[in-house]
Amino acid sequence: MSNEETPNLDPKPNRDPHPEPASMPDPAPSPEPDPGTESGRGQPTGRQRLMAGLWPPRVTRAQLIVAVLLFGLGLGLAIQVRSTSDTGALRGARQEDLVRILDELDDRTQRLEDEKALLEDQRTELENSSDQAEEARKQTLEKERQLGILAGTVAAQGPGITLTVDDGAGAVESDMLLDAIQELRAAGAEAIQVNGVRVVADSYFSGDAGDIEVDGKKIRAPYRFKVIGKPQDLEPALNIPGGVVQTLEKEQATAAVTRSQKIVVDALRPPERPDYARSSSQ
């Protein structure tokens, strides 16, 4: 054998047993978007989104209808508040006067309820009576008596008041006396006469102060009203704030109200037969 060098058969070169890892190059930092550039304006800010949502306003038909209804409701409430806040006769009234007015309204309501109950009782009696013809005749006579009192063709007596108006200054007008009649009727007066003249549904007052007539008959001061009704209702009706008594006192007249358990209204009016109307039962 020849002395030839033996070749190195190991193909792997000598390596470091602990090689260091190769470092990667740092990525280049990305440039921040410029707010003034197109890429900076791509995402709107929160304020811009809020303004875009509020303007221009987007109104639906339902919202428009609700707005119109709310406007109408507010306008109605404003008109009502303004009308109720206007100066009236009761705005400056005292508490006891308001309580008295409320009591008077309650009394009127109670009278209407009592009248309703009476009519219902009469109907029940007619329906249940064994002798309906006799019961109907009794009720007819009672109704005739009541209508005679209202028409002034028969005398009447009962509890009530006397109103005396002394017009020393001669300033009481006919419409003031008519207002007194209307207040008394509203308070439940059933029979009235003034200075000997029976006042009924078609009575009228005319003339100027100091020369007043009732149904064409002249009356002079002092004016004396004789009224049959419930005294507890009649007197407060004349003394309400801004009522008859205060109006007369403003004209330098005096008005005195006296209660009594027996008032006699004996002035009569002749019965009048209608010219054309006839009973439908004939």
Side-chain angles (χ1 to χ4, degrees):
M1 291 181 62
S2 61
N3 291 332
E4 293 180 357
E5 294 181 359
T6 304
N8 188 5
L9 299 177
D10 187 4
K12 297 181 181 180
N14 294 332
R15 295 182 179 180
D16 190 354
H18 302 285
E20 294 182 359
S23 60
M24 298 295 294
D26 296 334
S30 59
E32 296 182 357
D34 187 0
T37 62
E38 190 68 26
S39 61
R41 290 193 299 267
Q43 297 295 332
T45 64
R47 184 175 181 180
Q48 291 174 341
R49 289 196 300 270
L50 177 62
M51 293 300 296
L54 294 178
W55 189 263
R58 298 175 179 85
V59 181
T60 63
R61 183 176 181 180
Q63 292 174 339
L64 182 61
I65 295 175
V66 171
V68 173
L69 293 177
L70 290 176
F71 175 77
L73 178 60
L75 181 62
L77 290 175
I79 295 175
Q80 183 178 4
V81 170
R82 182 176 180 180
S83 62
T84 54
S85 62
D86 291 341
T87 303
L90 301 179
R91 186 174 183 181
R94 298 174 299 176
Q95 182 176 1
E96 53 267 24
D97 294 332
L98 296 176
V99 172
R100 184 172 57 186
I101 294 173
L102 290 176
D103 291 339
E104 181 185 350
L105 293 176
D106 292 338
D107 292 338
R108 293 183 183 180
T109 303
Q110 185 61 44
R111 288 197 305 271
L112 293 176
E113 292 292 340
D114 294 341
E115 183 177 355
K116 176 183 176 182
L118 178 61
L119 293 175
E120 289 178 350
D121 292 341
Q122 292 178 355
R123 183 187 65 181
T124 303
E125 291 177 359
L126 284 174
E127 293 175 350
N128 300 331
S129 176
S130 58
D131 189 355
Q132 296 185 0
E134 180 63 21
E135 185 65 28
R137 187 185 67 83
K138 291 180 180 180
Q139 292 190 12
T140 300
L141 293 177
E142 179 65 20
K143 181 63 68 176
E144 181 182 359
R145 184 186 66 84
Q146 295 175 359
L147 293 177
I149 294 175
L150 296 177
T153 57
V154 298
Q157 67 178 20
I161 64 169
T162 299
L163 169 64
T164 304
V165 179
D166 192 359
D167 183 21
V172 176
E173 300 286 348
S174 58
D175 58 343
M176 299 178 185
L177 301 182
L178 180 60
D179 289 341
I181 295 295
Q182 299 293 354
E183 287 291 344
L184 292 169
R185 284 174 173 169
E190 297 176 353
I192 306 174
Q193 73 179 38
V194 181
N195 288 24
V197 180
R198 188 70 169 266
V199 177
V200 293
D202 59 350
S203 293
Y204 63 92
F205 287 71
S206 60
D208 299 325
D211 188 22
I212 298 178
E213 295 182 353
V214 181
D215 295 337
K217 298 180 181 179
K218 184 173 294 185
I219 59 175
R220 298 186 181 277
Y223 306 109
R224 186 179 179 88
F225 293 71
K226 299 173 68 176
V227 187
I228 296 178
K230 188 177 180 180
Q232 294 84 349
D233 295 337
L234 298 175
E235 183 178 3
L238 298 175
N239 290 314
I240 62 175
V244 174
V245 173
Q246 288 189 2
T247 302
L248 293 173
E249 289 176 349
K250 290 180 181 179
E251 301 297 334
Q252 306 301 319
T254 59
V257 180
T258 305
R259 298 186 184 188
S260 177
Q261 291 301 316
K262 184 178 181 181
I263 298 292
V264 178
V265 176
D266 53 5
L268 302 179
R269 296 173 64 94
E272 298 180 0
R273 182 179 178 85
D275 296 331
Y276 304 102
R278 294 292 183 270
S279 174
S280 59
S281 61
Q282 292 182 354

